[in-house]
Amino acid sequence: MKEAYFPQEIEKKWQRVWEETGAFKTPDDSDKPKYYALSMFPYPSGKLHMGHVRNYTITDVIARFKKAQGYNVLHPIGWDSFGLPAENAAMKHGANPETWTDENIAYMTKQLKMLGLSYDWDREVATCKPEYYKWTQWLFLQLYKKGLAYKKEAAVNWCNDCGTVLANEQVIDGKCWRCDSVVEKKYLSQWFLKITDYADVLLEDLDKLAGWGDNVKTMQANWIGKSHGAIFRFPVLDAPNGEKMDVPVYTTRPDTVHGITYLVVAPEYKDIEKLTTPENKVAVEEYRANARKMSEIERLSTDRPKTGVPLGTHCKNPFTGETFPLWTADYALVEYGTGAVMAVPTHDTRDFAFAKKYNLPLKTVIKPADKDLGAPESWDDAYVDSGVLVNSGEFNGMDNESAKKAITEKAVKDGFGEFKTQYRLRDWLISRQRYWGAPIPVVYCDKCGIQPVPEDQLPVLLPKDVDFSVVGKSPITTSPTFKDTVCPVCGGHATREMDTMDTFICSSWYYLRYADARNNKECFNKNKVNHWLPVDQYVGGIEHAILHLLYSRFFTKALRDCGLLDFDEPFKNLLTQGMVLKDGSKMSKSKGNTVDPDEIFENYGADTARLFILSDSPPARDFDWSDAGVEGCYKFLNRVWRLIATNADNISLDIPEIKAGDLNKKENDDLLRNVHIAIKGITNDISNDFQFNTVISKYRELTNAIYDWQSKKSTLDDEDKLVLSFAIVSLMKLMSPVAVHLTEEAWHDLGGEGSIHNQQWCKWDENLAKSSSITLVVQINGKVKDKIEVDEGLSQEEMKEKALSSEKIKSQTAGKTVVKTIVVPKKLVNIVVK
RNA sequence: GCUCCAGUGGCGGAAUCGGUAGACGCGUCGGACUUAAAAUCCGAUCGGGGCUCAACCUCGGUGCCAGUUCAAGUCUGGCCUGGAGCACCA
């Protein structure tokens, strides 16, 4: 065995061997229990970054650990390869997005292999390949048949820089998630998926996800935004055309209904013209035109002063008989609730600000039980806390929580309202006016209208005869061959849908395809999907907390309802890894603080990179990259290598089981114990929340313990060699999921058969994993005063005696009264004195 | 504004159930080996006080203030700071 550690040499060799022998192929049929470990698949942007390295290393270690524990592990990889960057790159360099994507996939595949990841490459998928997007289109058709895909004219988010519409989830702070430019509203006819049909079950089933962090679950719950309240319909008294009509409002505060002093409709409210008097028409039209011009970001800014104009008409409050005026104001949102708000300025901060500005009346209807609030005209803000009702007729004196129910019940009985559950979640807009995506498989017939493309005509291929240099429209529209087609129903002329699907559709089902990646007859075989899914451990970035993870949950539920699979949640356990930072901020090209994985592989090897990326922080927390830390990990691997290499002649792989009492020498017994403690600790640390940072500290502790043991030996007898072999081979096995190449090389150099990665995980003996003597901690009044080495088997009474007979304790308790003594078995004695 | 997460040495972080705070590493300092360097190895490293120094002794210490308990980094209540998500959602 070579004395020196040459990672570059070793790593290339084993990567080749693993590839040639198909070391990581996963059979579908196996007697072993299944385990599905999955990393979020990458977008082929060009090169791996450290975030990828962290993500894939974490999942790889989990996959290898589970395999060693006897599972049949599915650990696949693929490419989320449709999307705008490819198209933009193509436009910039005059190339083709496909070429650009293929080149990136090739390069990044090479890098993934250099990292020593145990993927089953036979299951690789790329969402931009026709053999994949054929099935994306097929799934769209299933959703269409089920009534879950529909087209409608709506105000949608438009990103001018990307030249396409965006889903609500892709608008962050009023800006495009990808290019950060300000999003505008446009009225367009677009395709939507009815995710709102699943709002309730998506929310409820979060409770089933015990293996997800609360942060992600609350983010999803907030996004779905369920609230309970009531719809009230207020009759209009003076509509200019004399029509009898109602204005319905949604409120979560039915208890404040007696305090209404005006009503607001959104500028885009559908009946606004009917509710405007001729005298107010000009001002209202002007206000609406202004609102239309405003960007979303301005419109939604909470600190912008409230504005509005009166419509001139009035409603009657059926609870009080009072009349109140109608206004339009842009703080009412047309997409939420009914698009109209009952305004109770005394008990809502927004209404309060608006009423103050326009001198609208204030009427108190809730006050704290124990004090008076005074005239609302003197308040600085609305009173929004709970209390008892006043000025509310028959409901006076009732606490406001009970009043919510009682008042709504009265409205139901009298026929002008009902209970209502409201969600903030909107339907998922999936049309994109871009080229590099899966075409929406729909045609528009001059006679028959919208027609889905028949399944046997799939895939609808992306045209290749397009001009990528066009500005202001999708390149797909430049294809001379794509647009015109025939109607599948009447055979007459039809035009194809020119929009492609949001790439998040492609990534909403890829984890299903891995179960049956090469199937060219079906999307996936139902039995195979039911066997492998749900994913046992999903690992990826927190940035997908809402987008990808919510969409995938929706897809799984929808496909279950289409009869394609039998489970209702795709990801049983979710690990959201933290970001990789350098000098305290996120690695990014613009900040110039990136570290190139290639350089690390070249200078230190993949094993060092893997070890380091796991070592310094728990996986869920942000990780601060440090060059000194890499160096430290490299030194540690050298230290491990030296330990094995210098002892190679004394190590046998054929180790009989060593039981308690088999060894004669105390130091050998101690080393044996340390090995068992390490096995137990490392196994538990990986099993509980994947605490790889402490796993690695335990590698170091065991390595230190073996070096310490060795420093006391000048020659080795048979017992020494036995215990040394056990210690070193255990260390190698424990490290094999992380230092995948080093341990494989050492295994072979020591004469091992096959691969260390096919060996069983180490087992520990509970009796050997604890020491025979313990440190008895003696406290006085809860403060540690002495530590005594005692035999483990001591009774509580004996522990107490030992403690009290300690010289230190005697001197500190002298002259004081012992009030009480608490004995914690095998741990400590606390003496309470006065 | 609402929701969630976090706060421990110079730094990253450790500490099943409430039971020895600071494992392991990085950095720093000191030493060994060497002609020298690299590599490697050994030792020290929370703060205050006592002792000529050291061993040792002692007090304080996990963002802040209270509380529960024999005992609190850990539990409860209230704050402060940082991060993330949502946000004129009625």
Side-chain angles (χ1 to χ4, degrees):
Chain A
M1 191 167 173
K2 281 184 187 162
E3 290 279 323
Y5 171 52
F6 294 115
Q8 294 78 2
E9 206 176 285
I10 298 175
E11 293 181 357
K12 280 206 183 69
K13 175 171 114 192
W14 288 110
Q15 284 158 14
R16 201 183 57 238
V17 172
W18 293 333
E19 185 150 5
E20 283 166 7
T21 57
F24 304 116
K25 299 205 186 310
T26 307
D28 283 323
D29 48 342
S30 162
D31 300 339
K32 298 172 180 172
K34 72 96 183 176
Y35 190 90
Y36 187 174
L38 183 65
S39 295
M40 289 181 186
F41 67 164
Y43 179 78
S45 53
K47 279 184 127 184
L48 291 188
H49 54 67
M50 280 301 166
H52 292 128
V53 171
R54 191 177 193 197
N55 191 165
Y56 307 147
T57 302
I58 289 169
T59 316
D60 191 53
V61 175
I62 295 170
R64 289 168 182 271
F65 172 70
K66 287 290 171 182
K67 187 180 175 192
Q69 283 197 320
Y71 289 88
N72 185 34
V73 174
L74 176 59
H75 184 214
I77 189 71
W79 307 95
D80 187 11
S81 51
F82 267 140
L84 204 50
E87 200 170 329
N88 287 344
M91 286 170 157
K92 204 166 150 193
H93 306 299
N96 187 294
E98 191 176 0
T99 318
W100 185 85
T101 303
D102 286 347
E103 281 169 6
N104 287 348
I105 289 177
Y107 190 82
M108 291 169 80
T109 299
K110 200 179 103 204
Q111 288 186 302
L112 291 176
K113 288 183 177 170
M114 282 171 77
L115 237 189
L117 300 166
S118 61
Y119 293 130
D120 180 353
W121 287 96
D122 286 354
R123 296 173 187 261
E124 179 183 5
V125 301
T127 58
C128 68
K129 300 290 169 195
E131 59 267 29
Y132 184 91
Y133 74 70
K134 172 181 180 175
W135 301 113
T136 306
Q137 292 173 337
W138 184 82
L139 288 171
F140 173 87
L141 293 178
Q142 308 314 304
L143 297 177
Y144 179 79
K145 273 195 258 174
K146 196 87 185 149
L148 291 170
Y150 67 96
K151 198 174 191 196
K152 74 167 177 193
E153 170 101 16
V156 296
N157 306 299
W158 174 265
C159 173
N160 213 25
D161 282 15
C162 294
T164 184
V165 297
L166 300 168
N168 277 319
E169 288 79 4
Q170 291 164 336
V171 181
I172 315 286
D173 291 333
K175 295 180 189 165
C176 172
W177 69 294
R178 189 155 34 208
C179 71
D180 239 19
S181 49
V182 172
V183 167
E184 299 164 28
K185 280 280 180 220
K186 264 200 180 181
Y187 282 83
L188 291 172
S189 181
Q190 300 281 287
W191 284 95
F192 288 84
L193 294 188
K194 246 188 192 169
I195 191 171
T196 52
D197 273 10
Y198 288 82
D200 214 33
V201 67
L202 283 168
L203 182 68
E204 267 176 27
D205 285 358
L206 287 173
D207 290 341
K208 291 186 188 167
L209 298 173
W212 285 39
D214 283 340
N215 52 346
V216 178
K217 287 194 278 189
T218 42
M219 276 160 77
Q220 292 209 356
N222 287 344
W223 188 259
I224 294 166
K226 184 176 185 173
S227 68
H228 298 282
I231 298 264
F232 292 140
R233 283 179 295 275
F234 297 110
V236 181
L237 299 172
D238 47 5
N241 63 0
E243 197 180 324
K244 266 192 79 167
M245 56 194 293
D246 289 333
V247 178
V249 300
Y250 171 72
T251 179
T252 55
R253 294 297 305 274
D255 51 322
T256 63
V257 75
H258 296 81
I260 298 175
T261 56
Y262 65 102
L263 189 150
V264 176
V265 301
E268 304 85 357
Y269 191 74
K270 63 180 187 331
D271 287 336
I272 192 166
E273 283 167 19
K274 292 189 197 168
L275 294 168
T276 308
T277 59
E279 304 81 70
N280 294 66
K281 196 172 175 186
V282 174
V284 169
E285 275 313 312
E286 193 185 333
Y287 186 79
R288 295 180 67 202
N290 251 325
R292 247 192 316 270
K293 266 193 279 175
M294 231 182 287
S295 74
E296 274 297 281
I297 217 165
E298 281 175 278
R299 169 94 192 256
L300 295 177
S301 160
T302 44
D303 30 85
R304 194 166 58 87
K306 304 232 165 345
T307 59
V309 291
L311 301 181
T313 49
H314 298 80
C315 280
K316 182 177 153 195
N317 185 342
F319 285 90
T320 59
E322 293 165 341
T323 56
F324 52 81
L326 268 58
W327 286 62
T328 182
D330 59 13
Y331 79 89
L333 306 174
V334 74
E335 320 92 90
Y336 186 74
T338 64
V341 182
M342 64 178 223
V344 183
T346 42
H347 306 296
D348 181 280
T349 52
R350 293 151 304 183
D351 299 344
F352 187 87
F354 192 82
K356 278 268 177 177
K357 180 168 175 183
Y358 294 106
N359 275 318
L360 291 156
L362 311 174
K363 182 183 172 193
T364 310
V365 290
I366 291 174
K367 69 174 208 55
D370 52 356
K371 67 171 187 204
D372 222 41
L373 293 168
E377 287 74 17
S378 65
W379 301 355
D380 293 327
D381 204 348
Y383 177 77
V384 295
D385 297 334
S386 53
V388 296
L389 270 65
V390 293
N391 297 323
S392 299
E394 62 188 281
F395 302 98
N396 279 344
M398 193 180 269
D399 77 87
N400 73 301
E401 283 306 317
S402 329
K404 285 181 180 174
K405 187 161 175 259
I407 287 176
T408 310
E409 275 167 355
K410 180 171 174 174
V412 172
K413 193 170 115 251
D414 294 349
F416 51 83
E418 60 251 349
F419 288 93
K420 170 79 176 167
T421 304
Q422 181 71 36
Y423 300 90
R424 287 180 24 208
L425 185 70
R426 312 283 156 80
D427 275 341
W428 177 11
L429 168 50
I430 59 157
S431 304
R432 294 294 178 273
Q433 291 71 47
R434 303 301 313 203
Y435 170 80
W436 194 231
I440 296 174
V442 162
V443 300
Y444 301 98
C445 171
D446 303 341
K447 280 198 222 119
C448 315
I450 297 179
Q451 289 301 331
V453 172
E455 290 178 14
D456 60 11
Q457 289 177 24
L458 296 182
V460 176
L461 287 168
L462 271 176
K464 304 216 173 192
D465 51 355
V466 297
D467 177 6
F468 290 107
S469 63
V470 292
V471 183
K473 59 178 177 175
S474 166
I476 208 168
T477 58
T478 65
S479 163
T481 56
F482 186 71
K483 185 179 177 187
D484 296 307
T485 184
V486 290
C487 171
V489 177
C490 71
H493 177 259
T495 54
R496 286 197 187 279
E497 168 65 63
M498 294 289 193
D499 287 349
T500 53
M501 284 186 247
D502 182 4
T503 56
F504 279 90
I505 303 252
C506 307
S507 58
S508 289
W509 73 280
Y510 79 104
Y511 49 89
L512 302 169
R513 182 69 179 172
Y514 286 139
D516 195 13
R518 298 282 88 90
N519 193 335
N520 54 18
K521 304 243 155 42
E522 304 167 277
C523 192
F524 43 75
N525 175 277
K526 189 173 178 179
N527 290 332
K528 286 188 180 178
V529 156
N530 284 338
H531 169 69
W532 282 112
L533 276 283
V535 172
D536 292 281
Q537 185 63 54
Y538 200 24
V539 183
I542 186 77
E543 66 274 18
H544 293 106
I546 293 171
L547 286 156
H548 165 62
L549 290 169
L550 188 66
Y551 292 150
S552 297
R553 293 183 60 225
F554 160 60
F555 248 70
T556 298
K557 290 172 193 302
L559 300 190
R560 178 203 55 198
D561 293 345
C562 291
L564 297 172
L565 43 84
D566 292 332
F567 47 93
D568 53 20
E569 283 291 339
F571 313 122
K572 197 169 159 199
N573 296 292
L574 173 70
L575 173 61
T576 47
Q577 93 209 33
M579 288 186 299
V580 180
L581 312 175
K582 177 96 193 288
D583 312 318
S585 55
K586 188 180 179 180
M587 277 192 188
S588 74
K589 280 181 199 151
S590 56
K591 287 194 197 100
N593 62 345
T594 54
V595 177
D596 186 352
D598 283 345
E599 269 176 46
I600 304 297
F601 298 159
E602 193 172 317
N603 294 334
Y604 302 99
D607 282 349
T608 296
R610 295 169 61 105
L611 184 75
F612 176 58
I613 205 82
L614 298 175
S615 66
D616 264 13
S617 299
R621 237 188 271 183
D622 287 350
F623 177 92
D624 210 338
W625 184 272
S626 89
D627 296 335
V630 181
E631 196 73 40
C633 285
Y634 183 64
K635 284 182 185 173
F636 173 64
L637 288 182
N638 272 282
R639 192 167 143 83
V640 171
W641 179 265
R642 262 197 320 277
L643 180 66
I644 303 168
T646 54
N647 283 297
D649 295 341
N650 295 320
I651 300 170
S652 159
L653 293 180
D654 185 23
I655 309 164
E657 192 188 346
I658 312 172
K659 297 200 190 72
D662 283 359
L663 301 176
N664 296 313
K665 300 184 200 167
K666 182 173 182 302
E667 73 275 11
N668 290 351
D669 223 32
D670 288 342
L671 182 59
L672 179 69
R673 176 167 303 109
N674 280 324
V675 177
H676 281 273
I677 289 171
I679 297 170
K680 180 182 177 179
I682 289 166
T683 308
N684 287 342
D685 283 357
I686 301 179
S687 307
N688 308 331
D689 294 334
F690 311 113
Q691 294 178 58
F692 296 118
N693 54 329
T694 57
V695 167
I696 285 155
S697 72
K698 281 162 188 158
Y699 292 162
R700 292 176 185 273
E701 281 173 352
L702 181 56
T703 307
N704 291 345
I706 302 172
Y707 268 108
D708 277 356
W709 175 90
Q710 198 182 24
S711 69
K712 291 174 199 142
K713 301 272 179 186
S714 45
T715 57
L716 302 178
D717 64 17
D718 286 349
E719 182 182 302
D720 297 335
K721 285 181 187 172
L722 173 65
V723 76
L724 178 67
S725 296
F726 176 64
I728 288 184
V729 173
S730 299
L731 177 66
M732 282 164 52
K733 285 189 189 172
L734 293 169
M735 286 184 69
S736 67
V738 178
V740 296
H741 309 90
L742 182 151
T743 53
E744 183 79 316
E745 174 76 6
W747 176 258
H748 280 265
D749 285 351
L750 295 175
E753 294 287 315
S755 167
I756 193 168
H757 302 299
N758 290 331
Q759 303 303 308
Q760 268 198 357
W761 191 246
C762 307
K763 293 194 169 63
W764 75 90
D765 178 331
E766 198 57 51
N767 284 316
L768 282 168
K770 62 187 177 193
S771 86
S772 56
S773 74
I774 53 159
T775 308
L776 174 64
V777 175
V778 187
Q779 299 179 326
I780 296 177
N781 292 345
K783 301 229 153 97
V784 179
K785 296 295 174 183
D786 200 6
K787 296 168 191 180
I788 314 167
E789 285 297 315
V790 298
D791 202 63
E792 194 208 19
L794 243 50
S795 73
Q796 297 201 16
E797 202 52 40
E798 287 167 323
M799 284 173 67
K800 194 169 156 182
E801 272 167 39
K802 276 266 189 206
L804 287 168
S805 60
S806 145
E807 286 305 320
K808 283 181 190 169
I809 300 302
K810 273 193 211 164
S811 68
Q812 293 205 33
T813 53
K816 292 172 180 162
T817 321
V818 176
V819 185
K820 198 179 188 183
T821 313
I822 285 122
V823 182
V824 181
K826 296 179 188 178
K827 229 173 210 159
L828 66 74
V829 175
N830 187 15
I831 301 157
V832 186
V833 298
K834 248 191 214 164

